Amino acid sequence: SQQGEEDPQALSIQEGENATMNCSYKTSINNLQWYRQNSGRGLVHLILIRSNEREKHSGRLRVTLDTSKKSSSLLITASRAADTASYFCATDRSGSGSRLTFGEGTQLTVNP
Amino acid sequence: GAVVSQHPSWVICKSGTSVKIECRSLDFQATTMFWYRQFPKQSLMLMATSNEGSKATYEQGVEKDKFLINHASLTLSTLTVTSAHPEDSSFYICSARDLLAGGTTSTDTQYFGPGTRLTVL
């Protein structure tokens, strides 16, 4: 069964606004990764945060990880219409042999 | 950057036939590849782990005789859906780990293929 839960399931914002998506998980992890998927397409790797890291930045993306709460957040700043996509978190659980468990995903719509 | 390709990108077949999907790492070697399936508006579900030179490891509930996996080289894994039925219609996605970059799980990054959409009539 899926371990990750993401909220919100859907998010609609205006261009220029910030978008925040959250992910929760249940077991110990080696790392947590965020991916983006455009409709009907493959996944694009956005950012990986290790279990001993608390925050990571990449361009307009900011990811936080709170292992005590078993949660992570993805912030997209100054959103653009091209950011419209589904965003998934995926956990690399301890002892899983690098098998990823994906969250349910957040469908982000950025209106121009 | 690391590129993973899949072939075909889409396939339509009749019920009862078998379909083979290829997953290739184009510019790196991958000892391990993963196969996922994704139903519309749902998340990815891991089906199996494909290991070069050995048998695949299947997730609970995935029939190994239904979904045959072969990982014959460091750059190619194939998934064959045998005796396909309409309920097998789905989006199948593979991913690959970079052999050189994946030294420790804490730095592991998987690269995903573009997916194969299977429709069984």
Short mmCIF file of all heavy atoms in Angstrom, two decimals, chain A residues 1-2 6 30-31 33 35 37 40-45 48 50 88 92-93 97-105, chain B residues 32 34 36 38 41-46 49 59 91 93 95 97 105-115 117:
data_model
loop_
_atom_site.label_atom_id
_atom_site.label_comp_id
_atom_site.label_asym_id
_atom_site.label_seq_id
_atom_site.Cartn_x
_atom_site.Cartn_y
_atom_site.Cartn_z
N SER A 1 0.86 -1.19 0.00
CA SER A 1 0.00 0.00 0.00
C SER A 1 0.88 1.23 0.00
O SER A 1 2.03 1.19 0.41
CB SER A 1 -0.91 0.01 1.21
OG SER A 1 -0.15 0.08 2.38
N GLN A 2 0.34 2.33 -0.52
CA GLN A 2 1.07 3.56 -0.56
C GLN A 2 1.34 4.06 0.84
O GLN A 2 0.47 4.07 1.69
CB GLN A 2 0.29 4.63 -1.34
CG GLN A 2 0.25 4.37 -2.83
CD GLN A 2 1.61 4.56 -3.47
OE1 GLN A 2 2.43 5.32 -2.99
NE2 GLN A 2 1.86 3.85 -4.55
N GLU A 6 -0.25 12.96 0.47
CA GLU A 6 0.06 14.33 0.13
C GLU A 6 -1.17 15.19 0.26
O GLU A 6 -2.29 14.74 -0.01
CB GLU A 6 0.62 14.43 -1.30
CG GLU A 6 1.97 13.78 -1.42
CD GLU A 6 2.53 13.82 -2.81
OE1 GLU A 6 2.79 14.92 -3.31
OE2 GLU A 6 2.69 12.75 -3.40
N ASN A 30 15.72 6.76 4.09
CA ASN A 30 17.08 7.19 3.75
C ASN A 30 17.03 8.59 3.13
O ASN A 30 17.90 9.42 3.39
CB ASN A 30 17.72 6.24 2.75
CG ASN A 30 17.95 4.87 3.35
OD1 ASN A 30 18.42 4.74 4.48
ND2 ASN A 30 17.62 3.83 2.60
N ASN A 31 16.05 8.79 2.28
CA ASN A 31 15.88 10.09 1.65
C ASN A 31 14.46 10.23 1.16
O ASN A 31 13.69 9.26 1.14
CB ASN A 31 16.88 10.28 0.50
CG ASN A 31 16.67 9.29 -0.63
OD1 ASN A 31 15.65 9.31 -1.30
ND2 ASN A 31 17.65 8.41 -0.85
N GLN A 33 12.29 12.17 -2.05
CA GLN A 33 12.48 12.82 -3.35
C GLN A 33 11.16 13.40 -3.84
O GLN A 33 10.09 12.87 -3.55
CB GLN A 33 13.02 11.80 -4.36
CG GLN A 33 14.31 11.13 -3.89
CD GLN A 33 14.81 10.05 -4.83
OE1 GLN A 33 14.76 10.22 -6.04
NE2 GLN A 33 15.31 8.95 -4.28
N TYR A 35 9.10 14.59 -7.31
CA TYR A 35 9.05 14.44 -8.76
C TYR A 35 7.88 15.25 -9.31
O TYR A 35 6.90 15.50 -8.63
CB TYR A 35 8.85 12.97 -9.16
CG TYR A 35 10.04 12.09 -8.92
CD1 TYR A 35 10.25 11.49 -7.67
CD2 TYR A 35 10.96 11.84 -9.92
CE1 TYR A 35 11.33 10.67 -7.45
CE2 TYR A 35 12.05 11.02 -9.71
CZ TYR A 35 12.22 10.43 -8.47
OH TYR A 35 13.31 9.61 -8.26
N GLN A 37 5.24 15.43 -12.77
CA GLN A 37 4.74 14.67 -13.91
C GLN A 37 3.72 15.51 -14.66
O GLN A 37 2.69 15.89 -14.09
CB GLN A 37 4.10 13.35 -13.47
CG GLN A 37 3.62 12.49 -14.63
CD GLN A 37 2.96 11.21 -14.18
OE1 GLN A 37 2.24 11.19 -13.19
NE2 GLN A 37 3.19 10.12 -14.90
N GLY A 40 0.14 12.49 -18.60
CA GLY A 40 0.46 11.45 -19.58
C GLY A 40 1.92 11.29 -19.91
O GLY A 40 2.27 10.62 -20.88
N ARG A 41 2.77 11.89 -19.09
CA ARG A 41 4.20 11.83 -19.37
C ARG A 41 4.95 11.13 -18.25
O ARG A 41 4.37 10.76 -17.22
CB ARG A 41 4.75 13.25 -19.56
CG ARG A 41 4.00 14.09 -20.55
CD ARG A 41 4.15 13.57 -21.96
NE ARG A 41 5.48 13.76 -22.47
CZ ARG A 41 5.89 14.87 -23.09
NH1 ARG A 41 5.05 15.87 -23.25
NH2 ARG A 41 7.11 14.97 -23.54
N GLY A 42 6.25 10.96 -18.43
CA GLY A 42 7.07 10.36 -17.39
C GLY A 42 7.37 11.33 -16.28
O GLY A 42 6.89 12.46 -16.27
N LEU A 43 8.14 10.88 -15.33
CA LEU A 43 8.46 11.70 -14.16
C LEU A 43 9.78 12.43 -14.34
O LEU A 43 10.74 11.88 -14.89
CB LEU A 43 8.55 10.84 -12.91
CG LEU A 43 7.25 10.60 -12.17
CD1 LEU A 43 6.32 9.71 -12.97
CD2 LEU A 43 7.50 10.02 -10.80
N VAL A 44 9.81 13.63 -13.83
CA VAL A 44 11.04 14.43 -13.83
C VAL A 44 11.48 14.60 -12.39
O VAL A 44 10.71 15.05 -11.54
CB VAL A 44 10.80 15.80 -14.49
CG1 VAL A 44 12.04 16.67 -14.35
CG2 VAL A 44 10.41 15.63 -15.95
N HIS A 45 12.72 14.25 -12.11
CA HIS A 45 13.25 14.37 -10.76
C HIS A 45 13.50 15.84 -10.45
O HIS A 45 14.17 16.54 -11.21
CB HIS A 45 14.56 13.57 -10.65
CG HIS A 45 15.12 13.57 -9.28
ND1 HIS A 45 16.11 14.45 -8.88
CD2 HIS A 45 14.85 12.80 -8.20
CE1 HIS A 45 16.41 14.22 -7.62
NE2 HIS A 45 15.68 13.23 -7.19
N LEU A 48 16.21 15.90 -4.21
CA LEU A 48 16.35 14.83 -3.23
C LEU A 48 16.86 15.43 -1.93
O LEU A 48 17.81 16.22 -1.95
CB LEU A 48 17.33 13.77 -3.75
CG LEU A 48 17.65 12.55 -2.86
CD1 LEU A 48 18.05 11.37 -3.73
CD2 LEU A 48 18.75 12.84 -1.85
N ARG A 50 18.12 14.30 1.95
CA ARG A 50 18.52 13.15 2.74
C ARG A 50 17.92 13.22 4.13
O ARG A 50 17.52 14.29 4.60
CB ARG A 50 20.05 13.09 2.84
CG ARG A 50 20.72 13.05 1.50
CD ARG A 50 22.22 13.23 1.63
NE ARG A 50 22.84 13.46 0.33
CZ ARG A 50 24.11 13.78 0.16
NH1 ARG A 50 24.88 13.91 1.21
NH2 ARG A 50 24.59 13.98 -1.04
N PHE A 88 4.73 14.62 -7.02
CA PHE A 88 4.73 13.45 -6.14
C PHE A 88 5.96 13.47 -5.24
O PHE A 88 7.06 13.80 -5.68
CB PHE A 88 4.79 12.16 -6.97
CG PHE A 88 3.58 11.91 -7.82
CD1 PHE A 88 3.55 12.34 -9.14
CD2 PHE A 88 2.49 11.23 -7.31
CE1 PHE A 88 2.44 12.10 -9.94
CE2 PHE A 88 1.38 10.99 -8.09
CZ PHE A 88 1.35 11.42 -9.41
N ASP A 92 12.50 6.78 -0.02
CA ASP A 92 13.42 5.65 -0.10
C ASP A 92 13.53 5.14 1.34
O ASP A 92 14.28 5.72 2.14
CB ASP A 92 14.75 6.12 -0.65
CG ASP A 92 15.78 5.01 -0.74
OD1 ASP A 92 15.55 3.93 -0.18
OD2 ASP A 92 16.83 5.24 -1.36
N ARG A 93 12.74 4.12 1.65
CA ARG A 93 12.68 3.66 3.03
C ARG A 93 13.93 2.90 3.43
O ARG A 93 14.55 2.21 2.62
CB ARG A 93 11.45 2.77 3.22
CG ARG A 93 10.14 3.53 3.17
CD ARG A 93 8.96 2.59 3.29
NE ARG A 93 8.78 1.80 2.08
CZ ARG A 93 8.00 0.74 2.00
NH1 ARG A 93 7.34 0.31 3.05
NH2 ARG A 93 7.87 0.08 0.85
N GLY A 97 16.25 -1.24 -0.22
CA GLY A 97 17.00 -1.51 -1.44
C GLY A 97 16.74 -0.48 -2.52
O GLY A 97 16.72 -0.80 -3.70
N SER A 98 16.50 0.74 -2.09
CA SER A 98 16.26 1.87 -2.99
C SER A 98 14.93 1.81 -3.71
O SER A 98 14.71 2.55 -4.67
CB SER A 98 17.40 1.99 -4.04
OG SER A 98 18.61 2.26 -3.41
N ARG A 99 14.04 0.93 -3.27
CA ARG A 99 12.70 0.93 -3.85
C ARG A 99 11.96 2.17 -3.34
O ARG A 99 11.96 2.46 -2.15
CB ARG A 99 11.96 -0.33 -3.46
CG ARG A 99 12.46 -1.56 -4.19
CD ARG A 99 12.39 -2.79 -3.32
NE ARG A 99 11.03 -3.11 -2.90
CZ ARG A 99 10.74 -3.58 -1.69
NH1 ARG A 99 11.67 -3.75 -0.80
NH2 ARG A 99 9.49 -3.89 -1.39
N LEU A 100 11.32 2.88 -4.25
CA LEU A 100 10.63 4.11 -3.89
C LEU A 100 9.14 3.84 -3.64
O LEU A 100 8.52 3.07 -4.35
CB LEU A 100 10.76 5.15 -5.00
CG LEU A 100 12.16 5.69 -5.27
CD1 LEU A 100 12.12 6.72 -6.40
CD2 LEU A 100 12.75 6.31 -4.01
N THR A 101 8.62 4.52 -2.63
CA THR A 101 7.19 4.49 -2.35
C THR A 101 6.64 5.88 -2.60
O THR A 101 7.08 6.85 -1.96
CB THR A 101 6.92 4.06 -0.90
OG1 THR A 101 7.49 2.77 -0.69
CG2 THR A 101 5.43 4.01 -0.64
N PHE A 102 5.70 5.98 -3.50
CA PHE A 102 5.19 7.27 -3.92
C PHE A 102 3.96 7.69 -3.12
O PHE A 102 3.14 6.86 -2.73
CB PHE A 102 4.82 7.24 -5.40
CG PHE A 102 6.00 7.39 -6.30
CD1 PHE A 102 6.80 6.30 -6.59
CD2 PHE A 102 6.33 8.62 -6.85
CE1 PHE A 102 7.92 6.43 -7.40
CE2 PHE A 102 7.43 8.76 -7.66
CZ PHE A 102 8.22 7.67 -7.94
N GLY A 103 3.86 8.99 -2.91
CA GLY A 103 2.65 9.56 -2.34
C GLY A 103 1.57 9.65 -3.39
O GLY A 103 1.77 9.33 -4.56
N GLU A 104 0.40 10.11 -2.95
CA GLU A 104 -0.76 10.16 -3.83
C GLU A 104 -0.69 11.31 -4.84
O GLU A 104 -1.39 11.30 -5.84
CB GLU A 104 -2.03 10.28 -3.00
CG GLU A 104 -2.26 9.11 -2.06
CD GLU A 104 -2.38 7.79 -2.80
OE1 GLU A 104 -3.01 7.77 -3.88
OE2 GLU A 104 -1.82 6.79 -2.32
N GLY A 105 0.15 12.28 -4.55
CA GLY A 105 0.34 13.37 -5.51
C GLY A 105 -0.56 14.56 -5.29
O GLY A 105 -1.65 14.45 -4.72
N THR B 32 20.23 -1.96 -11.62
CA THR B 32 18.87 -2.11 -11.10
C THR B 32 17.92 -1.19 -11.84
O THR B 32 18.20 0.00 -12.00
CB THR B 32 18.82 -1.77 -9.59
OG1 THR B 32 19.75 -2.59 -8.90
CG2 THR B 32 17.43 -2.00 -9.03
N PHE B 34 13.54 -0.44 -12.15
CA PHE B 34 12.27 -0.64 -11.46
C PHE B 34 11.12 -0.45 -12.44
O PHE B 34 11.18 0.40 -13.33
CB PHE B 34 12.13 0.37 -10.31
CG PHE B 34 13.22 0.31 -9.29
CD1 PHE B 34 14.37 1.08 -9.44
CD2 PHE B 34 13.12 -0.52 -8.18
CE1 PHE B 34 15.39 1.04 -8.51
CE2 PHE B 34 14.13 -0.58 -7.24
CZ PHE B 34 15.27 0.19 -7.41
N TYR B 36 7.00 0.31 -12.72
CA TYR B 36 5.82 0.83 -12.02
C TYR B 36 4.64 0.80 -12.98
O TYR B 36 4.78 0.82 -14.19
CB TYR B 36 6.03 2.30 -11.61
CG TYR B 36 7.18 2.55 -10.66
CD1 TYR B 36 8.50 2.67 -11.13
CD2 TYR B 36 6.96 2.72 -9.30
CE1 TYR B 36 9.54 2.92 -10.26
CE2 TYR B 36 8.00 2.97 -8.43
CZ TYR B 36 9.29 3.07 -8.92
OH TYR B 36 10.33 3.33 -8.05
N GLN B 38 0.74 2.88 -13.39
CA GLN B 38 0.00 4.04 -12.91
C GLN B 38 -1.34 4.07 -13.61
O GLN B 38 -1.41 4.16 -14.85
CB GLN B 38 0.78 5.33 -13.20
CG GLN B 38 0.10 6.58 -12.68
CD GLN B 38 0.89 7.83 -13.01
OE1 GLN B 38 1.53 7.91 -14.06
NE2 GLN B 38 0.84 8.82 -12.13
N LYS B 41 -5.10 9.26 -13.03
CA LYS B 41 -5.27 10.13 -11.88
C LYS B 41 -4.86 9.47 -10.55
O LYS B 41 -5.33 9.85 -9.49
CB LYS B 41 -6.71 10.63 -11.78
CG LYS B 41 -7.14 11.45 -13.00
CD LYS B 41 -8.45 12.12 -12.79
CE LYS B 41 -8.90 12.88 -14.05
NZ LYS B 41 -7.92 13.90 -14.46
N GLN B 42 -3.99 8.49 -10.63
CA GLN B 42 -3.49 7.84 -9.43
C GLN B 42 -1.97 7.93 -9.39
O GLN B 42 -1.34 8.41 -10.32
CB GLN B 42 -3.94 6.38 -9.38
CG GLN B 42 -5.45 6.20 -9.23
CD GLN B 42 -5.82 4.76 -8.97
OE1 GLN B 42 -5.03 3.96 -8.48
NE2 GLN B 42 -7.07 4.42 -9.28
N SER B 43 -1.43 7.47 -8.29
CA SER B 43 0.01 7.52 -8.11
C SER B 43 0.68 6.31 -8.74
O SER B 43 0.02 5.44 -9.30
CB SER B 43 0.33 7.58 -6.61
OG SER B 43 1.70 7.78 -6.41
N LEU B 44 1.98 6.26 -8.66
CA LEU B 44 2.75 5.14 -9.19
C LEU B 44 2.80 4.02 -8.16
O LEU B 44 3.02 4.27 -6.97
CB LEU B 44 4.18 5.56 -9.51
CG LEU B 44 4.42 6.27 -10.83
CD1 LEU B 44 3.89 7.69 -10.78
CD2 LEU B 44 5.90 6.26 -11.18
N MET B 45 2.62 2.81 -8.65
CA MET B 45 2.72 1.64 -7.78
C MET B 45 3.88 0.79 -8.27
O MET B 45 3.92 0.39 -9.43
CB MET B 45 1.43 0.82 -7.81
CG MET B 45 0.25 1.51 -7.20
SD MET B 45 0.36 1.63 -5.40
CE MET B 45 0.20 -0.09 -4.95
N LEU B 46 4.83 0.51 -7.40
CA LEU B 46 5.97 -0.31 -7.78
C LEU B 46 5.50 -1.74 -8.02
O LEU B 46 4.81 -2.32 -7.19
CB LEU B 46 7.03 -0.29 -6.68
CG LEU B 46 8.27 -1.13 -6.91
CD1 LEU B 46 9.07 -0.61 -8.11
CD2 LEU B 46 9.16 -1.14 -5.67
N THR B 49 11.33 -5.08 -9.03
CA THR B 49 12.71 -4.61 -9.14
C THR B 49 13.44 -5.55 -10.07
O THR B 49 13.44 -6.77 -9.85
CB THR B 49 13.39 -4.59 -7.77
OG1 THR B 49 12.64 -3.76 -6.88
CG2 THR B 49 14.81 -4.06 -7.88
N GLU B 59 6.74 -7.18 -6.16
CA GLU B 59 6.01 -6.66 -5.00
C GLU B 59 4.82 -7.58 -4.70
O GLU B 59 4.33 -8.31 -5.58
CB GLU B 59 5.54 -5.24 -5.24
CG GLU B 59 6.68 -4.25 -5.42
CD GLU B 59 7.56 -4.14 -4.19
OE1 GLU B 59 7.04 -3.84 -3.09
OE2 GLU B 59 8.79 -4.38 -4.32
N PHE B 91 -0.64 2.78 -17.54
CA PHE B 91 0.59 3.49 -17.93
C PHE B 91 1.73 2.79 -17.20
O PHE B 91 1.73 2.73 -15.97
CB PHE B 91 0.46 4.97 -17.52
CG PHE B 91 1.47 5.89 -18.12
CD1 PHE B 91 1.68 5.91 -19.49
CD2 PHE B 91 2.19 6.77 -17.33
CE1 PHE B 91 2.60 6.78 -20.06
CE2 PHE B 91 3.11 7.64 -17.89
CZ PHE B 91 3.32 7.65 -19.26
N ILE B 93 5.70 2.56 -16.32
CA ILE B 93 6.88 3.44 -16.28
C ILE B 93 8.04 2.68 -15.66
O ILE B 93 7.87 1.97 -14.67
CB ILE B 93 6.62 4.70 -15.43
CG1 ILE B 93 5.35 5.42 -15.91
CG2 ILE B 93 7.81 5.64 -15.48
CD1 ILE B 93 4.99 6.61 -15.03
N SER B 95 12.19 2.91 -14.23
CA SER B 95 13.22 3.82 -13.75
C SER B 95 14.52 3.05 -13.62
O SER B 95 14.51 1.81 -13.54
CB SER B 95 12.84 4.46 -12.41
OG SER B 95 12.87 3.50 -11.38
N ARG B 97 18.65 3.16 -11.89
CA ARG B 97 19.67 3.77 -11.02
C ARG B 97 20.99 3.80 -11.78
O ARG B 97 21.36 2.83 -12.42
CB ARG B 97 19.86 2.96 -9.75
CG ARG B 97 18.72 3.00 -8.78
CD ARG B 97 19.04 2.11 -7.59
NE ARG B 97 20.26 2.53 -6.90
CZ ARG B 97 20.96 1.75 -6.11
NH1 ARG B 97 20.60 0.51 -5.91
NH2 ARG B 97 22.05 2.20 -5.52
N THR B 105 22.75 4.50 -0.70
CA THR B 105 21.33 4.77 -0.89
C THR B 105 20.98 6.20 -0.53
O THR B 105 20.00 6.74 -1.00
CB THR B 105 20.49 3.82 -0.03
OG1 THR B 105 20.92 3.91 1.32
CG2 THR B 105 20.65 2.39 -0.52
N SER B 106 21.80 6.83 0.31
CA SER B 106 21.46 8.19 0.70
C SER B 106 21.66 9.18 -0.43
O SER B 106 21.19 10.30 -0.36
CB SER B 106 22.28 8.61 1.92
OG SER B 106 23.65 8.65 1.59
N THR B 107 22.38 8.79 -1.46
CA THR B 107 22.56 9.71 -2.59
C THR B 107 21.88 9.19 -3.84
O THR B 107 22.11 9.66 -4.92
CB THR B 107 24.05 9.92 -2.89
OG1 THR B 107 24.63 8.63 -3.20
CG2 THR B 107 24.77 10.50 -1.69
N ASP B 108 21.05 8.18 -3.68
CA ASP B 108 20.47 7.51 -4.84
C ASP B 108 19.46 8.39 -5.55
O ASP B 108 18.61 9.01 -4.91
CB ASP B 108 19.78 6.23 -4.36
CG ASP B 108 19.24 5.43 -5.51
OD1 ASP B 108 19.99 5.22 -6.46
OD2 ASP B 108 18.07 5.06 -5.45
N THR B 109 19.56 8.45 -6.84
CA THR B 109 18.57 9.13 -7.67
C THR B 109 18.15 8.15 -8.75
O THR B 109 18.97 7.50 -9.36
CB THR B 109 19.15 10.40 -8.31
OG1 THR B 109 19.48 11.32 -7.30
CG2 THR B 109 18.13 11.03 -9.25
N GLN B 110 16.85 8.05 -8.94
CA GLN B 110 16.34 7.22 -10.01
C GLN B 110 15.89 8.10 -11.16
O GLN B 110 15.30 9.16 -10.95
CB GLN B 110 15.16 6.38 -9.51
CG GLN B 110 15.57 5.31 -8.51
CD GLN B 110 14.42 4.42 -8.11
OE1 GLN B 110 13.45 4.26 -8.85
NE2 GLN B 110 14.52 3.82 -6.94
N TYR B 111 16.18 7.64 -12.35
CA TYR B 111 15.80 8.37 -13.56
C TYR B 111 14.68 7.59 -14.23
O TYR B 111 14.78 6.39 -14.44
CB TYR B 111 17.01 8.52 -14.48
CG TYR B 111 18.14 9.27 -13.81
CD1 TYR B 111 19.18 8.59 -13.20
CD2 TYR B 111 18.13 10.66 -13.75
CE1 TYR B 111 20.21 9.28 -12.56
CE2 TYR B 111 19.15 11.36 -13.12
CZ TYR B 111 20.19 10.66 -12.52
OH TYR B 111 21.19 11.34 -11.88
N PHE B 112 13.63 8.30 -14.56
CA PHE B 112 12.43 7.66 -15.08
C PHE B 112 12.32 7.77 -16.59
O PHE B 112 12.72 8.77 -17.19
CB PHE B 112 11.19 8.29 -14.43
CG PHE B 112 10.95 7.80 -13.03
CD1 PHE B 112 11.70 8.31 -11.97
CD2 PHE B 112 10.01 6.82 -12.77
CE1 PHE B 112 11.49 7.85 -10.68
CE2 PHE B 112 9.79 6.36 -11.48
CZ PHE B 112 10.55 6.88 -10.44
N GLY B 113 11.78 6.72 -17.18
CA GLY B 113 11.47 6.74 -18.59
C GLY B 113 10.19 7.53 -18.84
O GLY B 113 9.49 7.89 -17.89
N PRO B 114 9.85 7.77 -20.09
CA PRO B 114 8.67 8.57 -20.43
C PRO B 114 7.36 7.80 -20.32
O PRO B 114 6.29 8.39 -20.45
CB PRO B 114 8.94 8.97 -21.89
CG PRO B 114 9.79 7.87 -22.41
CD PRO B 114 10.65 7.42 -21.27
N GLY B 115 7.45 6.49 -20.07
CA GLY B 115 6.23 5.70 -19.89
C GLY B 115 5.72 5.08 -21.17
O GLY B 115 6.02 5.53 -22.28
N ARG B 117 1.98 3.67 -22.62
CA ARG B 117 0.54 3.53 -22.37
C ARG B 117 0.03 2.28 -23.07
O ARG B 117 0.10 2.18 -24.29
CB ARG B 117 -0.23 4.75 -22.85
CG ARG B 117 -1.72 4.65 -22.51
CD ARG B 117 -2.42 5.97 -22.48
NE ARG B 117 -1.82 6.95 -21.60
CZ ARG B 117 -1.95 6.96 -20.27
NH1 ARG B 117 -2.65 6.00 -19.66
NH2 ARG B 117 -1.39 7.90 -19.56
#
